[in-house]
Amino acid sequence: MSYEPGSTECRLLIEAKENLLNAMKAIKNLENMDSVQKKLMAVYNELEGMHELRRKKENSTLSVDS
């Protein structure tokens, strides 16, 4: 992983995103996978949004605690 996650939730979101990227790499050269690729990317983007919200929440908690 590129950085240390701040919580179990962040770690799980990062892991899920990495797994989706691996799945997309695995099927990228298969025929008729455009629709599947788009769906996987949509799920990835949803997880990224959830992760961003979690990071903001954790950063605001750290700012209050300082």
Side-chain angles (χ1 to χ4, degrees), residues 22 25 40 48:
N22 288 332
K25 285 179 196 174
L40 290 174
E48 180 62 27

Side-chain angles (χ1 to χ4, degrees), residues 21-65:
L21 290 173
N22 288 332
M24 288 187 283
K25 285 179 196 174
I27 66 170
K28 76 177 181 178
N29 292 320
L30 296 175
E31 291 183 30
N32 303 317
M33 286 291 158
D34 292 342
S35 174
V36 175
Q37 286 279 17
K38 288 177 184 177
K39 290 173 186 173
L40 290 174
M41 184 54 81
V43 172
Y44 178 91
N45 289 334
E46 187 172 349
L47 290 173
E48 180 62 27
M50 294 167 69
H51 189 200
E52 183 62 31
L53 289 173
R54 186 63 195 187
R55 284 190 294 247
K56 286 178 182 177
K57 180 179 179 182
E58 288 181 17
N59 285 336
S60 68
T61 300
L62 289 174
S63 296
V64 171
D65 292 342

